[in-house]
Amino acid sequence: MKTVHGFPRSFSAVVVLSLAISLVGCSSSDDKPPRYPAKGTVTYESEPVNEGNVMFVNDRGDVTGAEIGAGGNFELELGLEAGTYKVYVVPPSAQMGAGPSDPSNLPEGQADAHENIPQKYRSVGTSGLTVEVTEGENTLDIAMQAG
């Protein structure tokens, strides 16, 4: 049996081939699409929504969110890839698991504390909100309306 450095030749070939395949399979962070700065405001009936999270879903189903702060402002710290995103807004109770986000799940007689985030906008499937992210800085204003 022929050997290379004390190992059977076939074993050496398998090691070299495995190493080559693993190196090809590794990708650098440079292969990821660029992300662009994104910030904006969330309003309901032209009034700022001061709490909750605004969520962005790309065509691959990846979800990225940002906390809504004073004045309805939010900023996506890691930015977003260029493309079209579906948007929905969740109240703080839904994001933290502290209580029901669906008013029909509330105890009898208890009002939904987040009337400024209508039920329609709390789901990606019903919100109807979309934004377009482009190269460069993006200002994404999310305007919710009654009805």
Side-chain angles (χ1 to χ4, degrees), residues 5-101:
H5 301 291
F7 293 102
R9 181 179 263 169
S10 60
F11 177 75
S12 297
V14 168
V15 169
V16 170
L17 182 60
S18 296
L19 188 58
I21 290 172
S22 67
L23 289 175
V24 169
C26 292
S27 61
S28 70
S29 62
D30 295 337
D31 292 342
K32 294 181 182 177
R35 297 174 79 88
Y36 301 99
K39 61 183 178 180
T41 58
V42 178
T43 58
Y44 173 66
E45 293 290 313
S46 301
E47 294 295 322
V49 173
N50 294 315
E51 60 184 353
N53 270 15
V54 58
M55 311 301 289
F56 298 86
V57 184
N58 67 15
D59 59 356
R60 295 186 311 268
D62 299 331
V63 180
T64 304
E67 186 174 353
I68 303 167
N73 295 311
F74 69 87
E75 184 171 357
L76 291 149
E77 293 182 19
L78 299 178
L80 292 169
E81 296 173 7
T84 302
Y85 289 80
K86 293 180 181 180
V87 180
Y88 64 104
V89 182
V90 294
S93 60
Q95 72 194 20
M96 300 304 291
S101 64

